[in-house]
Amino acid sequence: MFASTLSLALALVPFVSAAVIDVQVGASGLTYSPEAIGANVGDQVVFHFHAKNHTVTQSSFADPCGKLDGGINSGFMPVAANQTDNLPTFTVQVKDTKPIWIYCAQAARTPASHCGAGMVFAINCGADGAPNSFTNFKKSALAVGASLAAAASASATPSSGAYGGGYGGGYGGGSAAPAATDSASAAWTTAAYGGVTIPAAPQATPVTAAVTVGTETWTTTYGSYPGSPDPTPASSTGNVIKVVVGGTGILAFDPPRVDAKPRDTIVFEFHQKNHTVTQSSFDDPCRKLNANGTTGFDSGFMPFSDTSAPFPTFNFTVTDTAPVWAYCRQQLPSSHCGAGMVFAINSDESSGRNFAAFQNVAKALNGTAVAANAPAPTTTTAASAAAAVKVGPISLTLFAAALVGSLVL
C-alpha cells in the first residue's frame, strides 16, 4: 500500500513542478523584461502587454525579425498609454527544451521596426559565448535595424548592399528594403475616445485601372491601401459569402473576417438572439460610422428565437478594396461589441490594423482588454513561481510523506 501510494505521489510531482514565468512587454520602452529565460517542459510563459502596441511573434536565430511560418504569434495588442491594470496577456507553454526566438513585429521591415531596435526575446537560448547566445541573437536584430535605416537614407532604389551589408541570415543576400513610409514614422494615434493608443491609418493611394471580367471592361478609380486586394471582381456578379451572426450563447460573427472583392455579396445570417451588423471604424469600433459625409450601413436589430424560421438575413455588396469594419450594437444585457462581437472585410492582417487589433480596441474601449485566448493576468513573479514549485531531494521526501499521510488517513 505504501509503495503504490508513494509511486502515485512521485507521478504527480511533474504536474506540481510546472512554473509560471511572467514577461513584461514594452513596460520600459522597446524591450521584453526579462529579455531571455530558461524554462522547463510544461512551464508557462505569460507575456503582459504594456503601452503601446506590441506582439510576441516567433522567428528564428538566422532571421530574427522575420516571422517563422506556423510559429507562435500573439497578434498586435494595443494598450492605452494610461492603462496600468487588466493588461492583455498571451501565454506560451513550453513543449520542449529547444530554443524559442521571439520578436515584436511592430513596423516590421521599416526603419521604425521594433525588432530592429532590439526588441527581441528568447527561451532556452545558448549561454553567453555560445554561437546561439541571446547576445548574438540581439546583435543580429540590431543589424537588421541598421540595414533598414541605411536603406531608407539611401536613394529611392538602394543597392543590394544597403540592405544586406553586414547581415547574412534570412534576407536573401541583401535584397532592397522597403522605403520608409509616413505610417512608419508616424505610426501611432489615439482612438476616438478613451485614450487608447492605436496604429495610425495608412494613406490611400488613388488608382485608376481598367478592369476586365469576361466580356465586360470598365475603368474604375479606387483607394489602394497597403495589403488591399486586387479590384478585379471574381465574376460579373461576384461571389456570395455567408457570415453567421450570433447563435445560442455565441457573441461572434462566423467567420469574424473575410477577404472580398468588388461585386461580392456578404450575406449576414442572423441566429439567436437579437443582433445587428453595423458599420463602424477602426478608431471607434462600437459606434455607427458617421464621418466625412459617410454614413455606414446598419441592418437594424434582427430578433430570432429558437422557433423562428427561416433565419433573417442582411446583404452587403462590396464596392471597394478598402477595409470595412463592423460590430453588433446590442447593449443588453451588456455591450456585445465590448465583448468582442466585431467583424471585418479586407483587413490587412500583415499590419497593425488587423482584425485582432480591431477586436482588442473594441474590448479596451467598451469591455475588457484581456486577450480572448489568454488566462486572467497573474501577479506571480518568475522567482516566486519557481520557488513555490521547487522540489529538491528533501522537500520531495516531505511532499511524498505528506501526500501518503493524507491518502492513508
Side-chain angles (χ1 to χ4, degrees):
M1 172 67 179
F2 179 82
S4 60
T5 307
L6 180 59
S7 297
L8 173 61
L10 294 175
L12 291 174
V13 168
F15 295 96
V16 177
S17 62
V20 175
I21 305 172
D22 293 304
V23 178
Q24 308 304 318
V25 183
S28 303
L30 301 184
T31 62
Y32 297 90
S33 181
E35 290 186 311
I37 61 170
N40 297 318
V41 175
D43 287 354
Q44 289 189 330
V45 183
V46 181
F47 295 89
H48 300 260
F49 291 84
H50 297 254
K52 298 178 178 178
N53 192 5
H54 303 290
T55 79
V56 167
T57 305
Q58 189 173 1
S59 62
S60 63
F61 186 85
D63 188 5
C65 299
K67 183 179 177 182
L68 181 68
D69 288 342
I72 297 161
N73 188 17
S74 67
F76 286 91
M77 296 285 193
V79 178
N82 59 353
Q83 184 176 341
T84 58
D85 56 5
N86 290 326
L87 296 172
T89 63
F90 179 76
T91 300
V92 172
Q93 185 167 31
V94 178
K95 297 180 179 179
D96 55 45
T97 58
K98 296 177 182 177
I100 299 175
W101 310 102
I102 298 291
Y103 74 107
C104 176
Q106 183 58 257
R109 306 301 201 217
T110 76
S113 165
H114 287 195
C115 179
M119 192 170 183
V120 291
F121 173 80
I123 302 173
N124 294 332
C125 58
D128 279 345
N132 66 338
S133 68
F134 177 77
T135 299
N136 288 339
F137 178 58
K138 187 171 182 177
K139 283 181 179 178
S140 293
L142 291 170
V144 173
S147 295
L148 290 167
S153 63
S155 64
T157 55
S159 64
S160 60
Y163 186 52
Y167 179 64
Y171 285 81
S175 58
T181 63
D182 290 341
S183 60
S185 59
W188 303 104
T189 185
T190 54
Y193 59 95
V196 176
T197 304
I198 61 173
Q203 296 296 315
T205 301
V207 174
T208 299
V211 176
T212 300
V213 177
T215 59
E216 296 182 66
T217 299
W218 66 92
T219 300
T220 182
T221 299
Y222 64 99
S224 177
Y225 292 83
S228 61
D230 188 311
T232 304
S235 66
S236 60
T237 57
N239 290 329
V240 175
I241 304 172
K242 176 182 170 182
V243 176
V244 175
V245 184
T248 303
I250 299 173
L251 298 183
F253 294 86
D254 183 19
R257 67 166 301 277
V258 298
D259 291 315
K261 294 185 175 184
R263 299 194 181 188
D264 286 352
T265 299
I266 315 298
V267 178
F268 295 93
E269 183 180 276
F270 291 84
H271 290 222
Q272 297 87 346
K273 292 187 175 179
N274 191 5
H275 304 287
T276 79
V277 56
T278 306
Q279 188 174 2
S280 63
S281 61
F282 188 93
D283 62 347
D284 198 356
C286 297
R287 291 194 294 194
K288 184 178 177 181
L289 178 65
N290 188 3
N292 301 321
T294 300
T295 300
F297 63 80
D298 182 18
S299 67
F301 286 96
M302 295 285 194
F304 180 82
S305 68
D306 294 337
T307 58
S308 299
F311 295 112
T313 61
F314 175 80
N315 294 352
F316 172 73
T317 301
V318 178
T319 60
D320 201 349
T321 60
V324 175
W325 312 100
Y327 72 107
C328 174
R329 59 183 175 89
Q330 179 62 263
Q331 294 287 331
L332 298 176
S334 60
S335 169
H336 287 194
C337 181
M341 191 171 181
V342 293
F343 176 77
I345 302 171
N346 293 335
S347 54
D348 182 2
E349 294 303 290
S350 66
S351 76
R353 294 170 73 91
N354 55 34
F355 173 78
F358 176 58
Q359 187 177 57
N360 283 337
V361 174
K363 291 178 180 180
L365 293 179
N366 300 276
T368 174
V370 176
N373 61 343
T378 174
T379 56
T380 306
T381 63
S384 62
V389 298
K390 184 177 181 181
V391 181
I394 297 177
S395 57
L396 174 60
T397 303
L398 294 175
F399 168 76
L403 183 58
V404 168
S406 64
L407 292 174
V408 172
L409 295 176

